[in-house]
Amino acid sequence: MLIFGGLHVYVHIAFDVHDILRKSYKCIFFMTRFDFSNSYIWFEFYNAPLEKDVSLICDTIRSWHIVGRLGGCNSMNMQLSQCPLDQRPTYDAIRGANVNPTSFYNIGDLEIQDNLARIWVDIGTSEPLFLDILINALTQISSDYIGIKQVVFGGSEFENWRESLKSEDAGYSIHKI
């Protein structure tokens, strides 16, 4: 559930994607009690991710965070995408500087337990474009590299996640973003 100006929004997006081996994966994105200033994003993979997969996920999340920190996810300043296609695109820097800023405030490390993962985020502003950008990237990753079964935005608990599991021998790992 997202809350925009008192409006509660439930989002559930499902689609089929195919990896390079032509196996069919169904990747589901949904939100439950997502707070832009204090929430987890949960990942469930079809299989435990390999080190190269973890590296790709971390790089993607790190890139998403950097673009957000620099204000690149501001839907109030989408000048070029709103230009008519039959005209030469122009960008008004003064107009761009005068929109309300958006900035990604903080992010935790990626924690993994077997085929589950989570990351804590403080996006700071209720800017859905932040989530669209991440969903687009994860869709491509799921399609081309690693099967992501589902991504859940929000909630303090997730299916088989065990808060007490912190041992690498038991399948827990933490990765710096």
Side-chain angles (χ1 to χ4, degrees):
M1 173 176 63
L2 295 173
I3 301 174
F4 296 104
L7 179 66
H8 299 275
V9 180
Y10 293 88
V11 179
H12 183 210
I13 305 166
F15 54 91
D16 287 323
V17 294
H18 299 278
D19 71 2
I20 56 178
L21 299 175
R22 296 293 194 212
K23 293 179 184 172
S24 179
Y25 289 115
K26 185 173 188 176
C27 186
I28 299 172
F29 295 86
F30 67 94
M31 300 179 198
T32 177
R33 297 185 196 139
F34 187 76
D35 176 356
F36 277 84
S37 63
N38 183 16
S39 279
Y40 280 106
I41 299 174
W42 301 89
F43 302 83
E44 181 180 10
F45 303 99
Y46 282 95
N47 300 299
L50 303 172
E51 190 56 41
K52 67 180 179 129
D53 301 325
V54 172
S55 179
L56 179 61
I57 295 287
C58 287
D59 288 347
T60 302
I61 293 170
R62 188 176 302 110
S63 299
W64 174 61
H65 178 245
I66 290 169
V67 168
R69 288 286 294 187
L70 296 173
C73 300
N74 192 338
S75 65
M76 299 305 291
N77 190 29
M78 305 278 293
Q79 295 180 48
L80 296 180
S81 67
Q82 296 173 357
C83 287
L85 294 175
D86 60 347
Q87 295 178 3
R88 182 177 179 195
T90 60
Y91 187 86
D92 183 345
I94 294 171
R95 180 176 155 210
N98 288 321
V99 298
N100 289 333
T102 62
S103 182
F104 200 130
Y105 292 163
N106 205 354
I107 194 163
D109 295 326
L110 182 69
E111 298 175 84
I112 298 177
Q113 290 182 3
D114 298 319
N115 71 323
L116 302 176
R118 73 177 182 181
I119 189 161
W120 175 84
V121 296
D122 176 359
I123 295 174
T125 58
S126 296
E127 178 58 80
L129 183 59
F130 277 106
L131 303 181
D132 282 334
I133 290 169
L134 181 62
I135 288 171
N136 289 340
L138 293 174
T139 299
Q140 196 65 42
I141 287 171
S142 183
S143 175
D144 292 349
Y145 300 101
I146 179 174
I148 301 173
K149 188 173 184 179
Q150 63 177 323
V151 177
V152 179
F153 294 87
S156 59
E157 297 178 355
F158 186 76
E159 297 177 13
N160 297 326
W161 188 268
R162 296 171 298 202
E163 287 295 333
S164 61
L165 180 69
K166 300 291 182 182
S167 166
E168 286 186 27
D169 294 337
Y172 176 84
S173 62
I174 190 163
H175 304 272
K176 189 81 177 148
I177 295 300

